[in-house]
């Protein structure tokens, strides 16, 4: 997919080829989404240098709604906008948050619906070669 980030820059999933990617579908109005964001930020900070990327796909909200939320939570992974829910629909996302895990070879290795618990996320990241 090809979406626009908060700085109006085009972001393509293919830009992350060779890296492990968590594609996280979320919204500011979603309580479980907000609950898991600090965990995602923590793992991103820990493993980004080793090849982990997070693409947080916001579903249907505008930049003015999203930016303060991102700043309040101190998120520094990629936030991209899906205003028409096209990517959401392409990936058949039905609940939020949903995270699709893609390995370094571009294979989908996990689809997780709901907020991550520490041990769940760590298990998936371990499959990708992060952590112990």
């Amino acid at each position: 997919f090809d979406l626009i980030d908060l700085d109006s820059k085009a972001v393509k999933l293919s830009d992350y080829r060779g890296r492990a990617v968590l594609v996280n579908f979320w919204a500011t109005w979603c309580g479980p989404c907000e609950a898991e964001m600090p965990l995602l930020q923590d793992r991103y900070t820990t493993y980004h240098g080793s090849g982990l990327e997070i693409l947080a796909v916001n579903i249907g909200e505008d930049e003015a709604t999203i930016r303060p939320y991102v700043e309040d939570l101190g998120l520094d992974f990629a936030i991209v906008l899906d205003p028409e829910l096209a990517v959401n629909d392409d990936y058949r996302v039905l609940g939020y948050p949903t995270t699709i895990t893609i390995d370094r070879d571009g294979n989908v290795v996990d689809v997780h619906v709901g907020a991550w618990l520490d041990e769940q996320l760590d298990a998936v990241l371990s499959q990708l070669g992060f952590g112990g």
Side-chain angles (χ1 to χ4, degrees):
F1 58 79
D2 186 351
L3 293 172
I4 301 297
D5 70 11
L6 290 176
D7 297 319
S8 301
K9 177 183 164 203
V11 177
K12 297 178 185 176
L13 181 57
S14 61
D15 293 341
Y16 297 94
R17 204 164 276 155
R19 299 180 67 81
V21 182
L22 301 179
V23 181
N24 179 262
F25 292 85
W26 68 283
T28 62
W29 48 259
C30 167
C33 300
E34 185 172 1
E36 80 173 357
M37 285 297 181
L39 178 62
L40 292 174
Q41 180 60 51
D42 177 73
R43 297 314 187 272
Y44 177 76
T45 300
T46 301
Y47 299 120
H48 178 67
S50 301
L52 177 67
E53 296 290 346
I54 296 177
L55 283 175
V57 179
N58 178 273
I59 48 116
E61 297 179 294
D62 62 21
E63 183 269 338
T65 301
I66 300 165
R67 188 174 297 279
Y69 177 94
V70 168
E71 290 171 358
D72 286 348
L73 291 175
L75 306 178
D76 64 357
F77 45 79
I79 307 291
V80 294
L81 311 178
D82 188 15
E84 305 300 320
L85 305 183
V87 175
N88 179 85
D89 293 348
D90 287 347
Y91 281 77
R92 298 185 176 139
V93 176
L94 300 174
Y96 306 102
T98 291
T99 303
I100 298 169
T101 303
I102 302 170
D103 70 12
R104 294 171 196 265
D105 296 321
N107 302 307
V108 173
V109 296
D110 187 72
V111 176
H112 183 85
V113 179
W116 289 103
L117 299 175
D118 281 27
E119 55 274 1
Q120 293 169 323
L121 182 54
D122 289 342
V124 168
L125 291 174
S126 180
Q127 285 181 314
L128 297 171
F130 300 102

